[in-house]
Amino acid sequence: MSHSKVIIVTGASQGIGAETAKAFRAQGHRVVAVARSIAPTIEADYIAIAGDIGDPATARRAVNAAVEHFGRVDTLVNNAGIFIAKPFTQYTAEEYAATLNVNLNGFFYITQFAIEQMQKNSSGHIVTITTSLVDHANSSVPSVLASLTKGGLNSATKSLAIEYAKAGIRANAVSPGIIKSPMHAPETHARLAGMHPVGRMGEMSDIVNAILYLDSAPFVTGEILHVDGGQSAGR
Ligand SMILES: NC(=O)c1ccc[n+]([C@@H]2O[C@H](COP(=O)([O-])OP(=O)(O)OC[C@H]3O[C@@H](n4cnc5c(N)ncnc54)[C@H](OP(=O)(O)O)[C@@H]3O)[C@@H](O)[C@H]2O)c1
């Protein structure tokens, strides 16, 4: 095992985020997990912070906890996200605000605070979870709010990669297809499987493995890694 890194994972109370936190811990890394419904704790190699990641105060608490208890921030996994699919004109103002809050504000503040810390070590990595729907709009899943926010995150990932390339800080994204997480009720799985060229949904481990790969790939930055059963390639 290489040296123990300090990893912040947002949206880590369940699903892909919880699995990501578990995988990094299993590799001997120290993790700061953030979500609204997570049980707060401070342990030798694990801290859980409860809060809304769209609130800059939560983002500040998470980064401060990493620095105060573990001394640094090596990797930030921007995983917290919500997905609301419906015809464009039916989105409510509340749904619009909620999506911007988590998907954009939840990326913006904590990424700023994390990069400030990474600059001190001339080293760091931001991984953001987006969605392949951004690249292949699907008439059966109208979801402009996902495209508006996650599409921006893909572009911001490339921008950050370039802005910080010489500073030793990398930025990448993982772009999932439809993954068997608590986001999708089991009774929907058969229909969702059919939306992938490979004919099946992805597992949470597929996304976790992509995150672990990117985190161990020093020459990879500005990459949008599609883990989507072929969705972005065509149909
Ligand atoms: N599953 C898929 O098919 C799929 C496909 C493409 C992309 N993705 C992306 O993958 C990421 C993880 O998805 P998932 O399937 O694991 O979803 P999930 O099971 O619904 O988990 C979402 C996580 O985000 C947290 N979260 C939501 N709002 C938050 C807020 N305001 N502040 C802090 N944390 C918040 C939730 O915790 P609390 O409720 O406790 O706050 C939860 O831990 C998301 O960005 C999602 O858009 C998923």
Side-chain angles (χ1 to χ4, degrees), residues 12-101:
S13 63
Q14 65 168 38
I16 294 165
E19 293 300 312
T20 301
K22 197 191 297 177
F24 275 115
R25 292 184 75 189
Q27 291 193 347
H29 301 304
R30 291 162 288 170
V31 168
V32 177
V34 190
R36 289 167 305 176
S37 67
I38 207 162
T41 183
I42 299 180
E43 299 165 28
D45 60 355
Y46 176 71
I47 295 173
I49 303 278
D52 177 350
I53 196 59
D55 178 353
T58 304
R60 177 58 79 192
R61 279 196 290 137
V63 172
N64 283 357
V67 173
E68 189 179 319
H69 295 277
F70 300 149
R72 55 192 288 136
V73 178
D74 293 297
T75 299
L76 167 64
V77 182
N78 286 311
N79 166 79
I82 57 173
F83 177 72
I84 304 173
K86 54 165 57 175
F88 181 63
T89 58
Q90 292 178 20
Y91 281 118
T92 66
E94 290 73 24
E95 288 168 335
Y96 177 57
T99 306
L100 296 195
N101 178 63

Side-chain angles (χ1 to χ4, degrees), residues 85-88 133 136-144 191 195 235:
K86 54 165 57 175
F88 181 63
L133 271 174
H136 65 104
N138 184 326
S139 58
S140 69
V141 192
S143 49
V144 166
R191 182 177 58 82
M195 291 174 54
R235 54 174 306 190

